[in-house]
Structures are given as C-alpha cells and as structure tokens.
Amino acid sequence: MELLDGKKCAESLVADISGKVAGYVGSGLRKPHMTIILVGKHAPSESYVKSKVASCGRAGFASNLIRLPETITETELLGKISDINNDPGTDGLIVQLPLPSHINQQNVINAITPEKDIDGFHPANFGRMALGQKAFRPATAYGICKLLQFYNIPIKGKHCVVIGRSNIVGKPISIMLSNDFDIGNATVTLTHIETPRPLLLDETRRADIVIVAVGIPGFVSEDMVKEGVVLIDVGINRLEDGRIVGDVDFANVAGKCSWITPVPGGVGRMTVAALMINTLMAYENNFNLV
Ligand code: NAD
C-alpha cells in the first residue's frame, strides 16, 4: 500500500504556480488576486478559509477575506458579489459554503460571474466542463484528477466507482473521469443513497478505483473493495473527540489498497491546490497570457 500524498502533490503544484507568478510580476504585472467571502461563523469554514489564504501566500497571490455577518440578507450578499464581479483587481471569487439557511445557495452561486468562478460551481462552468470545453473545473474533483496524474495512476480503461452524487464532488468527478480528457477515459459508475446495497457492493468489489464522498465515517469497509484497489477518500468528518477522519475505515482497508489517500493530508489539500490552478487561469485569462 502506498499513500497518495495530497500535501506533497499540492506543494509541488503550488511551487510551479509561484514560479509562473514570479515571472508575471517580474514583467510588471500585478499579482493574481483571490477574494473570499465568509458569511457568519462556522468552525470548519474558518479552517478551510485559513488554508486558502495561506496557500495564496505560498503561490505568490494576493488575497482578501471579506467577513459578513450571519444576519446579512440574500439581496445584500448578491450586491457584494456584484461589486466584486465588477472589480478588475479580483481574478477569482469564492463564497465559502455552507451559507446560513435563509440564503439560497444556488442563487449565490449563479450570481458569481463565470469568469471569476474559481470553485467551478456556476452552471456555465459546470456545463463547459461536462462538454469537455475549457472551464474552471470544480475544485475538489479537479484536485483528485491532479493527484491521480501526479502519481501516474492509470485511469484510461479502468473501472471507477464513485459513491455520492453531490454537485461539488461526486457528480463532477464522475463526469471528468469518464470524459475523453488527458485525465479520464475511465468507465464510471455513479452510486448514491438510493443505490441498493447489494448493487453498491457488486460495483465497489470489482472497481479498480473507488472514490467516496458521503460524509459518513468508516463507510467504506474492508469487505467492500478488492485487493489492489485505488481508494480516494473525500470525506472530512469531525468526531466528537476532535479527530478528523474520512469516509474510509482506514485502519482495516488500507492494507488491501495499492494506493489510498490519507485524511487529513489527501484530497483536502488538493482542493486548495486546484483553487490555485483555477485562480492562475482566471488571471491569465484577464491579462491574455494564454
Ligand atoms: P453531500 O454531503 O452533499 O451528500 C452526500 C452524498 O452521499 C449524497 O450524494 C448521497 O446520495 C450519498 N450517500 C449518502 N449515504 C449513502 C449511502 N448509504 N450509499 C451511497 N451513497 C450515499 O456530499 P459532499 O458535499 O460531496 O460531501 C461528502 C463528504 O466529502 C463530506 O464529508 C464533506 O465534508 C467532504 N468534502 C470534502 C472535500 C475536500 O476537499 N476533501 C470537499 C467537499 C466535500
């Protein structure tokens, strides 16, 4: 068993980005700039935002974090997004999810201009991604692809099973890995909460690659996968004792895997790295550098 080390891969990708940025800034351009909006107080979001700001620093980007009160109305938030959409000094905009329940999340995603949508959640980017066109690809799914690529994991022709169909992880990764991309051409089965358990087991037990994003600690057990599987654990679950674990029963399953992501230090790090790649792309688009 070998670890798919998201920290190592992310550091390598961010080092490449910072080299490019140094070149651009050296030629007289401003730094790439990421703006993050954080609404209210939510402990996991605080830690995600912190790691995005820190990664911006390592990539040579400028960043600013806009904190808005929990009580902000949807109209006020949409107004703030409109201001940033029109600000030529910002290349990429993230509205950290989840949002308070009185705000419609999809309205907020739709309000971000696709040109600054570095999370890749806007329907225009999602649609372009699905069609195989140039797009900001949803960051977690893109991060998984970059991690598989970094470790030269064969994907073409492989049987991949995705567990979980969220718009931010399961759905996009199933499309991306089945697309005719450089990182793709797998045969993908997308499973979800309505997949009958025997069918789920049939699928996972013969899969070459399993990607799990369900948010249930220990969901993938040793009997669910075959010997030599490549296992990507997207879950981030906070236990009562403060530990963070994934969706895989790591202690009992890891020995069966050829490759497995740790939690933490796996996909989470790659999500942030993919945001850096997307922000650089937004910046290069802005300055016609590509
Ligand atoms: P979600 O929480 O929106 O939905 C869960 C998904 O799991 C649903 O599609 C549901 O159909 C599926 N599911 C639930 N029970 C199931 C079952 N018994 N059998 C099969 N499928 C089942 O999904 P999400 O937002 O993708 O989050 C999933 C996990 O991934 C969470 O732990 C979240 O914190 C984590 N996450 C991590 C990152 C990262 O960067 N590592 C990014 C996003 C989400």
Side-chain angles (χ1 to χ4, degrees):
M1 180 275 290
E2 293 195 68
L3 283 182
L4 291 162
D5 185 340
K7 182 169 181 283
K8 184 175 165 191
C9 176
E11 282 173 357
S12 161
L13 292 171
V14 170
D16 288 348
I17 291 171
S18 81
K20 276 192 172 180
V21 170
Y24 292 142
V25 171
S27 71
L29 296 175
R30 68 160 171 79
K31 292 178 174 184
H33 189 124
M34 178 191 289
T35 295
I36 305 170
I37 293 179
L38 180 59
V39 180
K41 298 215 180 304
H42 179 249
S45 292
E46 290 284 348
S47 90
Y48 298 145
V49 162
K50 198 171 148 199
S51 75
K52 288 168 192 174
V53 169
S55 191
C56 280
R58 286 192 287 273
F61 296 176
S63 65
N64 68 316
L65 172 59
I66 300 174
R67 290 177 179 275
L68 298 173
E70 184 94 23
T71 51
I72 192 168
T73 66
E74 187 175 312
T75 309
E76 287 167 334
L77 178 57
L78 295 181
K80 193 74 201 164
I81 291 169
S82 169
D83 292 346
I84 298 162
N85 282 344
N86 294 315
D87 171 14
T90 284
D91 302 294
L93 169 60
I94 292 171
V95 179
Q96 185 65 42
L97 303 177
L99 291 166
S101 55
H102 65 277
I103 297 175
N104 181 312
Q105 198 158 288
Q106 197 59 53
N107 288 348
V108 169
I109 290 169
N110 291 356
I112 298 171
T113 183
E115 286 73 29
K116 298 190 182 189
D117 168 41
I118 50 174
D119 262 326
F121 295 162
H122 190 283
N125 279 310
F126 199 98
R128 285 185 203 130
M129 174 279 293
L131 293 169
Q133 298 174 6
K134 184 179 176 186
F136 297 115
R137 303 181 200 176
T140 300
Y142 192 23
I144 293 169
C145 291
K146 297 302 282 184
L147 185 61
L148 292 168
Q149 185 185 46
F150 185 78
Y151 283 98
N152 294 314
I153 306 296
I155 301 169
K156 185 176 176 176
K158 297 296 176 185
H159 175 217
C160 174
V161 173
V162 178
I163 315 175
R165 60 176 165 193
S166 70
N167 288 345
I168 62 170
V169 185
K171 214 175 284 171
I173 191 66
S174 66
I175 296 169
M176 288 163 74
L177 289 184
S178 55
N179 260 345
D180 184 11
F181 284 162
D182 49 343
I183 316 165
N185 285 300
T187 300
V188 181
T189 307
L190 178 59
T191 65
H192 48 75
I193 195 158
E194 300 296 345
T195 305
R197 182 80 186 170
L199 178 57
L200 177 72
L201 294 180
D202 276 355
E203 289 292 323
T204 59
R205 282 175 179 159
R206 60 193 175 89
D208 303 306
I209 302 170
V210 172
I211 299 175
V212 58
V214 295
I216 302 172
F219 182 84
V220 174
S221 50
E222 186 261 341
D223 60 319
M224 284 178 71
V225 294
K226 73 177 182 187
E227 202 71 47
V229 68
V230 175
L231 191 41
I232 307 291
D233 188 352
V234 184
I236 301 179
N237 306 296
R238 285 173 171 73
L239 302 183
E240 278 181 8
D241 63 9
R243 278 184 304 136
I244 292 183
V245 297
D247 290 344
V248 175
D249 174 11
F250 189 93
N252 292 308
V253 181
K256 236 177 153 179
C257 302
S258 55
W259 294 89
I260 184 168
T261 55
V263 178
V267 175
R269 298 294 294 242
M270 293 308 302
T271 298
V272 181
L275 284 172
M276 300 299 128
I277 298 173
N278 281 348
T279 306
L280 184 69
M281 188 168 109
Y283 170 85
E284 289 177 335
N285 290 343
N286 269 346
F287 288 94
N288 292 316
L289 297 168
V290 280

